């Protein structure tokens, strides 16, 4: 009865909004507004017709499992009320969709990250897919597009998707568009795009102990830069006993990280590995002057073994003891740590005996116009429509409705009750900082498609001593061949090596 009351209350609130919208003040002169505007205001989803009947239909989704990650299943797979606000909001969304439009949502989750692409490819080759929507991390999804397995969302005839609306992430989708074609979308339909956006955490206690400037205030004033971060990290880092900085004792570090954080810091300087030309086509940019300058500063920070503890300097990336390095932050012995937003939902962070705050990636300099926060390319989640989908009218309708109700019903619970109130209960700055992070997201399309394994480029450059120009000279040809194959397919629709029909 409690759930029924909650659902009825949600419906009543939505209905009240629509009635208020339809009773807006009439234009001067007593002229009534157009019928179309009034009708749009009455609709549950402004861009869709409530009279559309999809009774009995099922929106089927194949999703990439993310064991142990909060909110992995809620947007598509929530099924039981558990008093978790996001989960319960998703269940209410399902109920309203079925009540208003008649359709239901069913999700199947692939057990492991590695099995997901194999499952999708096998279903495509054998024609055995029982789903029309695919949801997974961008590095898993991108090959599907390059192999002709996904529909171009920009060219679906009579599509119901309104991808320029606020419930879709237009800026990110612009990053993921090549030659005018878009195969992935994200936004309020799902939460894992936000969960796997990068950020920087800082220890408030150490900021106070050392009398440092408030990092949140630096962010808001536009002065949160690589140099400022390094200055603060250097102030805090110190050996406590034997004259040697160690990760197994009580030494205090300015920054603890992994080698791949080099890439994240360079992206924060708004220096992606590729940029797009005036035709919307990607071009390698890792060795352009601005990128080189940004990397030079990052290289200095990452190479300073008196200030920065890099996991791979002490352990192999897959060593079971490797977490000791980053755990210095959770133990209160490091000022800064980079991770995804999802880290706040982990047991490790919840049980850490520290006061922490959140920041975007630092700018290259104060002249940089906006902060640029990249994503974890392995798990940053998008949705796509399977090539061969027969009922695109229903599928695009269902996705549009889910996204809109995500904005009105689910995202507020995630932001306000889960992130701001539960995960940052003593951080008055977190709402503003989170908005800065999410509104300045940068998705590097080269890493999504991982041409020539470019996801490892900055790792390789660091291990080779930091010479970007020499490294790019070695890899440029391979990179451009791989990239141009993808671009050619997007432009022509002909898969590489497929040849023309005889």
């Amino acid at each position: 009865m409690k759930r029924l009351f909650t659902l009825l209350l949600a419906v009543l609130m939505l209905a009240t909004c629509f009635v208020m919208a339809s009773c807006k003040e009439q234009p001067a002169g007593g002229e009534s507004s157009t019928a179309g505007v009034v009708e749009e205001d009455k609709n549950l989803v402004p861009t869709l017709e409530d009279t559309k009947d999809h009774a009995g239909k099922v929106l089927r989704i194949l999703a990439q499992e993310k064991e142990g990650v909060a909110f992995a299943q809620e947007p598509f797979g929530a099924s039981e009320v558990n008093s978790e606000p996001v989960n319960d909001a998703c269940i209410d969304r399902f109920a309203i969709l079925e009540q208003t439009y008649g359709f239901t949502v069913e999700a199947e989750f692939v057990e492991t990250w590695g099995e997901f692409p194999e499952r999708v490819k096998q279903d495509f080759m054998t024609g055995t897919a029982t789903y029309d929507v695919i949801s997974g991390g961008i590095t898993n999804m991108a090959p599907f597009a390059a192999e002709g397995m996904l529909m171009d969302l920009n060219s679906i005839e009579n599509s119901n998707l309104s991808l320029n609306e606020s419930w879709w992430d237009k800026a990110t989708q612009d990053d993921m568009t090549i030659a005018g074609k878009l195969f992935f979308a994200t936004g309020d339909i799902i939460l894992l795009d936000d969960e796997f956006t990068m950020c920087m955490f800082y220890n408030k206690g150490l900021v106070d102990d050392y009398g440092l400037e408030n990092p949140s205030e630096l962010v808001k004033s536009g002065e949160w830069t690589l140099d400022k971060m390094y200055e603060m990290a250097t102030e805090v880092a110190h050996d406590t006993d034997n004259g040697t900085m160690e990760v197994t004792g009580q030494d205090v570090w300015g920054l603890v990280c992994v080698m791949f954080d080099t890439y994240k810091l360079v992206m924060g300087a708004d220096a992606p590995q590729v940029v797009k030309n005036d035709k919307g086509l990607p071009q390698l940019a890792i060795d352009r002057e601005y990128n080189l300058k940004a990397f030079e500063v990052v290289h200095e920070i990452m190479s300073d073994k008196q200030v920065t503890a890099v996991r791979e300097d002490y352990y192999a990336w897959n060593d079971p003891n490797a977490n000791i390095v980053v755990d210095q932050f959770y133990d209160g012995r490091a000022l800064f740590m980079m991770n995804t937003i999802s880290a706040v939902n982990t047991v490790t962070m919840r049980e850490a005996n520290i006061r922490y705050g959140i920041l975007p990636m630092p700018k290259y300099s104060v002249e940089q116009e906006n902060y640029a926060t990249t994503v974890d390319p392995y798990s940053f989640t998008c949705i796509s429509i399977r090539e061969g989908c027969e009922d695109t009218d229903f599928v695009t309708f269902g996705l549009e409705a889910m996204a809109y109700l995500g904005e009105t019903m689910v995202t507020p619970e995630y932001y306000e009750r889960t992130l701001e109130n539960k995960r940052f209960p003593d951080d008055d700055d977190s709402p503003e900082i989170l908005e800065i992070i999410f509104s300045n997201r940068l998705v590097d399309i080269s890493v999504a498609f991982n041409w020539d394994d470019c996801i490892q480029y900055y790792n390789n450059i660091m291990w080779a001593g930091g010479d970007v120009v020499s490294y790019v000279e070695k890899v440029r040809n391979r990179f451009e061949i791989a990239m141009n194959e993808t671009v050619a397919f997007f432009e022509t629709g002909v898969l590489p090596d497929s040849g023309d029909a005889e």
Side-chain angles (χ1 to χ4, degrees), residues 174 242 319 392 404 418:
D174 287 345
N242 60 9
D319 189 308
T392 54
Y404 174 78
T418 300

PDB file of all heavy atoms in Angstrom, residues 174 242 319 392 404 418:
ATOM      1  N   ASP A 174      28.114  14.937 -29.037  1.00  0.00           N
ATOM      2  CA  ASP A 174      28.892  15.652 -30.056  1.00  0.00           C
ATOM      3  C   ASP A 174      30.310  15.102 -30.121  1.00  0.00           C
ATOM      4  O   ASP A 174      30.879  14.939 -31.215  1.00  0.00           O
ATOM      5  CB  ASP A 174      28.928  17.150 -29.751  1.00  0.00           C
ATOM      6  CG  ASP A 174      27.586  17.839 -30.018  1.00  0.00           C
ATOM      7  OD1 ASP A 174      26.733  17.231 -30.690  1.00  0.00           O
ATOM      8  OD2 ASP A 174      27.412  18.969 -29.541  1.00  0.00           O
ATOM      9  N   ASN A 242      62.619   7.585   7.822  1.00  0.00           N
ATOM     10  CA  ASN A 242      63.968   7.154   7.433  1.00  0.00           C
ATOM     11  C   ASN A 242      64.574   7.904   6.260  1.00  0.00           C
ATOM     12  O   ASN A 242      65.587   7.485   5.710  1.00  0.00           O
ATOM     13  CB  ASN A 242      63.962   5.658   7.117  1.00  0.00           C
ATOM     14  CG  ASN A 242      63.012   5.315   5.988  1.00  0.00           C
ATOM     15  OD1 ASN A 242      62.476   6.202   5.325  1.00  0.00           O
ATOM     16  ND2 ASN A 242      62.795   4.014   5.764  1.00  0.00           N
ATOM     17  N   ASP A 319      49.232  -6.831  -9.654  1.00  0.00           N
ATOM     18  CA  ASP A 319      49.740  -7.398  -8.409  1.00  0.00           C
ATOM     19  C   ASP A 319      48.652  -7.271  -7.337  1.00  0.00           C
ATOM     20  O   ASP A 319      48.058  -6.204  -7.168  1.00  0.00           O
ATOM     21  CB  ASP A 319      50.998  -6.645  -7.975  1.00  0.00           C
ATOM     22  CG  ASP A 319      51.706  -7.310  -6.810  1.00  0.00           C
ATOM     23  OD1 ASP A 319      51.043  -7.587  -5.793  1.00  0.00           O
ATOM     24  OD2 ASP A 319      52.936  -7.536  -6.904  1.00  0.00           O
ATOM     25  N   THR A 392      11.649   0.383 -34.979  1.00  0.00           N
ATOM     26  CA  THR A 392      12.370   1.550 -34.484  1.00  0.00           C
ATOM     27  C   THR A 392      11.427   2.616 -33.927  1.00  0.00           C
ATOM     28  O   THR A 392      11.823   3.415 -33.083  1.00  0.00           O
ATOM     29  CB  THR A 392      13.242   2.177 -35.592  1.00  0.00           C
ATOM     30  OG1 THR A 392      12.422   2.448 -36.739  1.00  0.00           O
ATOM     31  CG2 THR A 392      14.378   1.249 -35.978  1.00  0.00           C
ATOM     32  N   TYR A 404      13.485  10.942 -20.545  1.00  0.00           N
ATOM     33  CA  TYR A 404      12.798  12.104 -19.965  1.00  0.00           C
ATOM     34  C   TYR A 404      12.409  11.848 -18.512  1.00  0.00           C
ATOM     35  O   TYR A 404      12.636  12.687 -17.634  1.00  0.00           O
ATOM     36  CB  TYR A 404      11.545  12.454 -20.775  1.00  0.00           C
ATOM     37  CG  TYR A 404      10.745  13.556 -20.132  1.00  0.00           C
ATOM     38  CD1 TYR A 404      11.150  14.885 -20.240  1.00  0.00           C
ATOM     39  CD2 TYR A 404       9.610  13.266 -19.369  1.00  0.00           C
ATOM     40  CE1 TYR A 404      10.434  15.906 -19.623  1.00  0.00           C
ATOM     41  CE2 TYR A 404       8.888  14.281 -18.749  1.00  0.00           C
ATOM     42  CZ  TYR A 404       9.306  15.593 -18.878  1.00  0.00           C
ATOM     43  OH  TYR A 404       8.614  16.595 -18.252  1.00  0.00           O
ATOM     44  N   THR A 418      21.475  10.818  -3.015  1.00  0.00           N
ATOM     45  CA  THR A 418      22.563   9.842  -2.960  1.00  0.00           C
ATOM     46  C   THR A 418      23.921  10.525  -2.940  1.00  0.00           C
ATOM     47  O   THR A 418      24.733  10.281  -2.049  1.00  0.00           O
ATOM     48  CB  THR A 418      22.475   8.869  -4.153  1.00  0.00           C
ATOM     49  OG1 THR A 418      21.224   8.176  -4.088  1.00  0.00           O
ATOM     50  CG2 THR A 418      23.606   7.857  -4.093  1.00  0.00           C
TER      51      THR A 418
END
